[in-house]
């Protein structure tokens, strides 16, 4: 009997704890707050990440063909970067440079008043509320054994000017 208990206990310990959509929303907000481009990308679905990577590659092509146009785009938020700085930069590194320049004060994870969760099967939507009445919704899907963000007006507004 002790062997059965030991095996059962070992099995329970070995089972990974699955993060909820709320945890993914919190991870996303912390990545934005800490300007961690790689952590932000980790919260996204593979298809959304691939879309952003494709846009980044397209911007890289613009840098090569029309550097003056790329400089205009960079001047909106990242005037301290030159087109030559972008040559070896990954999307994650670019996002890490971009996020501090965005006016996201008040959207910190630590200031969240509440998160509402609506789940339907493999899909979820987390609405994040801040004390001043602002809110942001994050659409998610269960993929690759975790919840991943598939879209958000908030994310679009963060990246809309650049990608």
């Amino acid at each position: 009997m002790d062997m059965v208990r030991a095996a059962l206990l070992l099995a329970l310990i070995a089972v990974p704890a699955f993060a909820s959509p709320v945890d993914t929303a919190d991870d996303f907000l912390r990545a934005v707050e800490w300007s961690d481009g790689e952590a932000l990308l980790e919260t996204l679905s593979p298809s959304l990440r691939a879309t952003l990577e494709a846009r980044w590659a397209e911007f890289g092509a613009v840098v090569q063909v029309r550097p003056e146009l790329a400089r205009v785009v960079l001047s909106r938020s990242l005037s301290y970067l030159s087109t030559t700085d972008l040559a070896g930069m990954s999307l994650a590194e670019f996002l890490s440079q971009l996020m501090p320049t965005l006016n996201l004060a008040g959207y910190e994870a630590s200031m969240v008043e509440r998160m509402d969760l609506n789940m339907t099967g493999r899909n979820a939507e987390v609405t994040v509320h801040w004390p001043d009445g602002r809110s942001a919704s994050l659409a998610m899907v269960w993929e690759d054994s975790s919840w991943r963000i598939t879209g958000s007006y908030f994310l679009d507004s963060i990246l809309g000017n650049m990608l």
Side-chain angles (χ1 to χ4, degrees), residues 84-101:
T84 55
D85 294 330
L86 298 179
M89 194 177 284
S90 70
L91 174 60
E93 292 167 330
F94 177 75
L95 292 174
S96 293
Q97 293 290 318
L98 176 65
M99 286 184 280
T101 68

Side-chain angles (χ1 to χ4, degrees), residues 59-67 70 83 87:
F59 187 65
V62 170
V63 168
Q64 295 297 318
V65 177
R66 305 262 327 264
T83 54

Side-chain angles (χ1 to χ4, degrees), residues 17 46 49-50 61 74 87 100 104 114 127 130-131 161:
R49 185 175 179 150
L74 282 174
L104 298 174
R114 76 175 196 279
T127 304
W130 285 272
N161 289 337

Side-chain angles (χ1 to χ4, degrees), residues 53-129:
E53 293 281 359
R55 288 183 185 170
W56 177 243
E58 289 170 4
F59 187 65
V62 170
V63 168
Q64 295 297 318
V65 177
R66 305 262 327 264
E68 68 284 352
L69 180 60
R71 274 192 290 280
V72 170
V73 173
L74 282 174
S75 70
R76 293 181 193 161
S77 297
L78 298 166
S79 58
Y80 61 89
L81 284 180
S82 71
T83 54
T84 55
D85 294 330
L86 298 179
M89 194 177 284
S90 70
L91 174 60
E93 292 167 330
F94 177 75
L95 292 174
S96 293
Q97 293 290 318
L98 176 65
M99 286 184 280
T101 68
L102 304 173
N103 185 16
L104 298 174
Y107 283 105
E108 291 88 0
S110 60
M111 295 181 68
V112 169
E113 185 174 68
R114 76 175 196 279
M115 291 190 197
D116 298 329
L117 173 61
N118 183 11
M119 290 180 60
T120 307
R122 294 174 25 125
N123 297 305
E125 182 174 275
V126 175
T127 304
V128 183
H129 300 271

